[in-house]
């Protein structure tokens, strides 16, 4: 473990480092999949500065599911982007399994992402979309194709693998997006309002699927949602209010 | 295949989906530019090649000339025959004459040939379409097709030839009658310049009307196949007496060939503008694609794609459009070249200007000769320009931050 990792979101106090469990040397217990300490993020809007996140702390263990609820504009998506390493916090520290957030090409191997708007590539069929996440790591071989088919079967799209996103329903698209998020056997899955564009019944089934798959594969899940019922199904429920996670 | 190349191909040619309209338009733009470049450079090359063929077939690759008529040309021919580069040599006498038949008068360029050796340099017989070379003697001539038409003369007719010597005689108050000769054959080389005014006779006949005695004006030399003409001319100059000088056909037509090359180069670069315009169309559609696919680009970044790989995806699209356009353009270009004569003649017939076309363009058929170097040049320029067209969209795509792109609703 390097003393000063290259893209570690510094600065951090000794207390924060201790909380992150990043530089204690030999530690018997495995580090948490996700560890965030004192994350804060603000934006400038004209002359004003808006503090979106204020000292967010969170650790998520392997296989654990955590939900984050909050009002619209409370900074839930911003927080998820920080967890995904897509954005940098103004202050605070973030670690993935005790290591700093990794460079982009390692992101695909470590975490899976599910978005409200699915973000499937319209030119690729469902199978192609699932394999795309794998393709970014390396050209897919037989094993990856087999796993993609397996995942599609698991999410109920076994017969729809060669259908383009435009030919799929909203629920089917999100199922394909979940399969894509899991193709690389990620340690952490971040889902940003995955049922936001779905009707209640479809949304329920998608959440059931997501939680079931994460539990099966011991993938840690951070679920951002407005839906209290969906949040209640996770192992731990958190609420983001005024930039503070509690 | 790296993911960015795979995605570039999929974005341009989505499987099982509707006709990729934007791609087709971009590819067609490039293809049209390439097609026009191939056709025009080939036709220009064809004109050059026809001129070379015409020159070399009628006068050999090298000509031996002197300031004054060559007296002892037999010795010069013996010397030439002994050279390793030389396949054959034949003396010539040539000059302008006036010809009259049935009150039709025409200016003609007459060439006197040594019938014993001419065939080894200039296979006149293969251009004869009426009459026979075998009937040629010192009192007869062979007329080119358009000269015969201008004189309204046919095989068997008698025509009168007025030489410059006759005009000289008039100055000294001596009356010399024009030479009356028979037309024994009509010929057509396929080049308007030669077919409009050429006339061929025996060496003795031309020596007679020019008062040359036993001298000749020059010697045409046929080189062995594959011999470099300029190098051969230089080697011949090293062995020929000082009064004689060897000129390769390129030497003799140096300025003409330079103008031809300049024209070809200028036309190439002017037509390349079509490819540049097509490249702007490629750039425009790729830029639209970057805007339309902002969230997908964000997703690729979120999935772990690096900015340079995202850039490579769009650059590759420019390259693939360029490559597809080049392949299609080459195919269309060669197809058009294959039917060029039908098209040109069809147009000429439709406008009833077939004869005008022949007279104006000098060739009875639109020539085409595609040089591999020209094709390589077209392909390289097109691919470079198309790939460059993808650079700006690629740069814009690479600059998109995943987190901002994903927020773009």
């Amino acid at each position: 473990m390097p003393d000063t990792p290259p893209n570690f979101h510094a600065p951090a106090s000794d207390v924060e480092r201790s909380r992150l469990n990043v530089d204690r040397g030999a530690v018997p217990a495995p580090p948490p999949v996700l560890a965030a300490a004192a994350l804060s993020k603000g934006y400038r809007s004209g002359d004003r500065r808006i503090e979106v996140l204020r000292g967010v702390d969170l650790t998520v263990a392997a296989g654990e599911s955590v939900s984050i609820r909050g009002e619209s504009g409370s900074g839930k998506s911003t927080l998820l982007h920080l967890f995904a390493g897509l954005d940098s916090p103004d202050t605070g520290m973030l670690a993935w399994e005790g290591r700093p957030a990794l460079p982009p090409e390692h992101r695909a191997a470590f975490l899976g992402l599910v978005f409200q708007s699915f973000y499937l590539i319209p030119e690729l069929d469902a199978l192609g979309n699932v394999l795309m996440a794998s393709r970014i790591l390396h050209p897919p071989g037989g094993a990856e194709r087999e796993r993609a088919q397996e995942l599609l079967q698991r999410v109920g799209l076994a017969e729809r693998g060669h259908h383009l996103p435009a030919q799929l329903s909203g629920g089917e698209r999100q199922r394909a997006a979940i399969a894509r998020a899991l193709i690389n056997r990620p340690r952490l899955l971040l889902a940003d309002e995955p049922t936001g564009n779905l009707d209640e019944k479809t949304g329920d089934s998608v959440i059931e699927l997501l939680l079931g798959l994460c539990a099966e594969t011991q993938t840690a899940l951070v679920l951002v949602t407005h839906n209290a019922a969906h949040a209640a199904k996770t192992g731990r429920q958190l609420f983001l209010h005024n930039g503070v996670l509690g | 295949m790296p993911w960015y190349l795979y995605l570039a191909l999929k974005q341009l040619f989505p499987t099982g989906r509707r006709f990729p309209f934007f791609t087709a338009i971009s590819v067609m733009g490039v293809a049209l530019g390439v097609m026009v470049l191939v056709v025009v450079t080939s036709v220009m090359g064809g004109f050059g090649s026809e001129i070379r063929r015409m020159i070399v077939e009628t006068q050999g690759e090298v000509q031996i000339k002197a300031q004054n008529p060559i007296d002892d040309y037999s010795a010069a021919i013996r010397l030439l025959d002994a050279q390793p580069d030389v396949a054959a040599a034949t003396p010539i006498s040539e000059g302008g004459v006036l010809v009259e038949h049935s009150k039709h008068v025409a200016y003609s360029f007459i060439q006197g040939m040594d019938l014993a050796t001419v065939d080894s340099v200039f296979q006149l017989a293969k251009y004869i379409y009426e009459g026979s070379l075998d009937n040629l003697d010192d009192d007869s001539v062979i007329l080119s097709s358009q000269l015969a038409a201008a004189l309204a003369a046919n095989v068997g007719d008698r025509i009168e030839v007025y030489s410059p010597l006759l005009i000289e005689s008039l100055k000294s108050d001596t009356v010399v009658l024009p030479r009356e000769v028979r037309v024994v054959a009509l010929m057509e080389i396929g080049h308007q310049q030669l077919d409009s005014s050429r006339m061929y006779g025996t060496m003795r006949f031309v020596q007679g009307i020019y008062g040359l005695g036993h001298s000749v004006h020059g010697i045409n030399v046929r080189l062995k196949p594959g011999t470099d003409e300029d190098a051969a001319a230089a080697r011949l100059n090293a062995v020929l007496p000082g009064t004689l000088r060897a000129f390769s056909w390129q030497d003799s037509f140096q300025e003409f060939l330079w103008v031809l090359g300049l024209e070809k180069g200028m036309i190439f670069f002017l037509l390349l503008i079509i490819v540049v315009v097509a490249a702007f169309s490629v750039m425009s559609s790729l830029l639209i694609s970057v805007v339309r696919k902002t969230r997908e680009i964000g997703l690729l970044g979120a999935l772990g794609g690096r900015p340079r790989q995202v850039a490579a995806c769009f650059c590759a699209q420019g390259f693939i459009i360029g490559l597809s356009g080049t392949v299609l353009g080459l195919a269309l270009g060669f197809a058009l070249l294959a039917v060029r004569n039908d098209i040109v003649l069809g147009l000429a017939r439709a406008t009833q200007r077939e004869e005008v076309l022949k007279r104006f363009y000098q060739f009875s058929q639109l020539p085409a000769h595609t040089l591999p170097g020209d094709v390589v040049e077209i392909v390289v320029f097109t691919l470079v320009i198309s790939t460059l067209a993808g650079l700006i969209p690629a740069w814009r795509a690479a600059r998109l931050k995943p987190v901002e792109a994903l927020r773009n609703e």
Side-chain angles (χ1 to χ4, degrees):
Chain A
M1 177 73 55
D3 287 342
T4 315
N7 58 350
F8 213 81
H9 301 303
S13 66
D14 288 344
V15 177
E16 284 165 354
R17 282 177 178 273
S18 158
R19 273 150 60 185
L20 283 168
N21 191 17
V22 294
D23 54 358
R24 277 186 196 154
V27 179
V33 173
L34 176 73
L39 291 184
S40 51
K41 182 78 179 173
Y43 297 103
R44 187 162 290 284
S45 172
D47 295 337
R48 277 193 323 137
R49 182 170 170 79
I50 301 164
E51 294 301 328
V52 181
L53 300 171
R54 302 162 196 265
V56 170
D57 293 326
L58 178 69
T59 55
V60 182
E64 189 185 5
S65 63
V66 177
S67 64
I68 299 174
R69 285 198 296 144
E71 295 148 9
S72 295
S74 59
K76 300 186 297 297
S77 295
T78 301
L79 183 59
L80 216 65
H81 290 153
L82 293 185
F83 289 164
L86 297 175
D87 206 355
S88 307
D90 296 336
T91 59
M93 294 176 74
L94 178 76
W96 292 343
E97 290 193 322
R99 293 172 300 172
L102 294 162
E105 67 267 26
H106 294 141
R107 190 183 298 139
F110 179 75
L111 62 83
L113 292 162
V114 179
F115 302 95
Q116 180 180 344
S117 300
F118 327 128
Y119 297 147
L120 295 179
I121 296 170
E123 291 84 4
L124 303 179
D125 58 21
L127 181 64
N129 268 287
V130 174
L131 280 170
M132 195 65 208
S134 164
R135 209 177 274 279
I136 283 179
L137 286 177
H138 52 76
E144 283 80 10
R145 287 178 197 282
E146 208 172 299
R147 177 163 168 77
Q149 294 280 15
E150 217 175 273
L151 278 168
L152 282 175
Q153 191 175 12
R154 189 68 187 79
V155 299
L157 293 177
E159 306 300 318
R160 311 278 274 161
H162 293 294
H163 285 75
L164 293 167
Q167 297 164 323
L168 300 175
S169 68
E172 286 172 329
R173 287 183 210 181
Q174 194 59 292
R175 284 163 187 269
I178 290 170
R180 178 180 64 193
L182 291 170
I183 182 79
N184 293 328
R185 295 188 169 83
R187 304 286 296 129
L188 172 66
L189 199 145
L190 302 174
D192 188 3
E193 298 188 38
T195 60
N197 281 351
L198 304 175
D199 63 66
E200 196 180 331
K201 193 179 163 197
T202 312
D204 288 347
S205 71
V206 164
I207 288 298
E208 288 295 342
L209 180 70
L210 195 59
L211 287 165
L213 284 170
C214 285
E216 262 177 43
T217 54
Q218 278 296 292
T219 306
L221 170 70
V222 176
L223 170 69
V224 165
T225 181
H226 279 296
N227 190 310
H230 293 165
K233 290 177 181 173
T234 58
R236 188 154 43 119
Q237 295 181 59
L238 298 170
F239 202 88
L240 186 65
H241 182 66
N242 284 338
V244 178
L245 191 66
Chain B
M1 184 190 298
W3 69 264
Y4 43 90
L5 290 184
Y6 171 80
L7 191 60
L9 278 169
K10 283 288 176 184
Q11 288 191 338
L12 291 172
F13 308 105
T15 45
R17 205 149 169 226
R18 64 185 181 280
F19 183 66
F21 188 71
F22 280 102
T23 308
I25 293 287
S26 303
V27 168
M28 271 316 290
V30 177
L32 286 175
V34 170
M35 182 192 76
V36 172
L37 274 171
V38 167
V39 170
V40 172
T41 52
S42 296
V43 170
M44 293 290 289
F47 277 106
S49 171
E50 277 296 302
I51 288 165
R52 180 199 183 279
R53 182 187 66 82
M54 182 265 296
I55 293 169
V56 170
E57 279 193 6
T58 55
Q59 68 174 43
E61 291 92 346
V62 172
Q63 274 198 310
I64 311 295
K65 292 175 184 169
Q67 289 282 358
N68 299 308
I70 306 165
D71 298 328
D72 193 8
Y73 67 87
S74 301
I77 287 177
R78 277 197 301 277
L79 180 65
L80 288 167
D81 283 340
Q83 302 311 308
D85 295 328
V86 175
T90 185
I92 52 154
S93 294
E94 56 192 6
V97 289
L98 269 178
V99 197
E100 189 190 357
H101 174 252
S102 315
K103 295 183 181 169
H104 295 280
V105 179
Y107 171 78
S108 172
F109 190 82
I110 189 165
Q111 188 170 334
M113 309 170 296
D114 174 21
L115 292 178
T117 57
V118 68
D119 196 49
S120 55
V121 177
F122 175 27
Q123 293 180 335
L124 184 66
K126 77 175 186 186
Y127 299 109
I128 290 174
Y129 63 90
E130 198 177 333
S132 171
L133 178 64
D134 297 338
N135 298 333
L136 188 68
D137 57 23
D138 295 344
D139 292 313
S140 58
V141 289
I142 297 168
L143 297 184
S144 59
S145 57
Q146 289 175 41
L147 178 65
L151 292 170
N154 269 310
V155 173
D157 289 345
R158 299 192 77 84
I159 61 171
E160 289 182 332
V161 178
Y162 296 80
S163 73
L165 194 66
L166 197 137
I167 298 162
E168 285 299 315
S169 306
L170 285 172
K171 287 180 188 168
S172 56
D173 291 335
T174 313
V175 175
V176 178
L177 294 174
R179 281 287 301 270
E180 193 179 75
V181 287
R182 268 178 310 121
V183 178
V184 292
L186 302 180
M187 58 174 287
E188 186 167 86
I189 291 174
H191 188 278
Q192 193 267 347
Q193 243 173 7
L194 298 181
D195 293 335
S196 65
S197 61
R198 283 267 168 163
M199 188 163 81
Y200 295 88
T202 62
M203 179 64 78
R204 270 198 300 274
F205 170 64
V206 177
Q207 282 170 333
I209 61 170
Y210 266 85
L212 285 173
H214 290 287
S215 303
V216 297
H217 285 128
I219 300 166
N220 285 349
V221 178
R222 167 79 56 216
L223 296 177
K224 286 182 179 157
T227 310
D228 181 89
E229 292 105 340
D230 285 321
R235 284 192 288 270
L236 292 179
N237 278 326
V239 295
L240 284 168
T243 51
L244 301 181
R245 187 150 183 81
F247 296 91
S248 71
W249 73 272
Q250 288 103 324
D251 284 336
S252 307
F253 295 87
Q254 205 173 38
E255 288 179 355
F256 177 72
L257 290 174
W258 182 81
V259 169
L260 211 66
L262 182 73
E263 273 179 13
K264 193 176 167 188
M266 287 301 290
I267 286 175
F268 181 88
F269 280 102
L270 287 173
L271 292 177
L272 203 63
I273 292 172
I274 299 175
V275 177
V276 174
V277 171
F280 273 97
S281 145
V282 172
M283 190 192 298
S284 161
S285 64
L286 286 179
L287 277 171
I288 292 168
S289 174
V290 169
V291 174
R292 275 173 52 223
K293 295 179 186 298
T294 298
R295 284 185 298 171
E296 289 158 37
I297 292 166
L299 171 84
L300 293 170
L303 289 180
R306 283 184 169 274
R308 61 182 157 79
Q309 292 174 319
V310 173
C313 179
F314 283 89
C315 244
Q317 289 184 49
F319 176 80
I320 293 164
I321 288 172
L323 189 65
S324 310
T326 304
V327 171
L328 182 63
L330 288 177
L332 289 174
F334 287 121
L336 199 60
L337 283 173
V339 295
R340 67 191 186 280
N341 285 317
D342 299 328
I343 294 172
V344 172
L345 286 176
L347 283 173
R349 277 178 198 142
T351 52
Q352 298 180 330
R353 290 287 186 275
E354 200 176 340
E355 287 308 312
V356 177
L357 182 85
K358 256 186 180 177
R359 203 164 60 240
F360 190 78
Y361 280 105
Q362 304 185 353
F363 298 108
S364 51
Q365 291 208 317
L366 191 64
H369 180 66
T370 311
L371 295 170
D374 288 345
V375 175
V376 169
E377 215 170 298
I378 291 167
V379 169
V380 169
F381 269 101
T382 308
L383 289 182
V384 167
I385 290 171
S386 308
T387 310
L388 287 178
L391 272 184
I392 291 178
W395 175 71
R396 287 204 54 152
R399 279 183 64 214
L400 285 172
K401 289 183 179 160
V403 69
E404 286 166 14
L406 289 170
R407 274 202 202 105
N408 187 297
E409 292 287 344

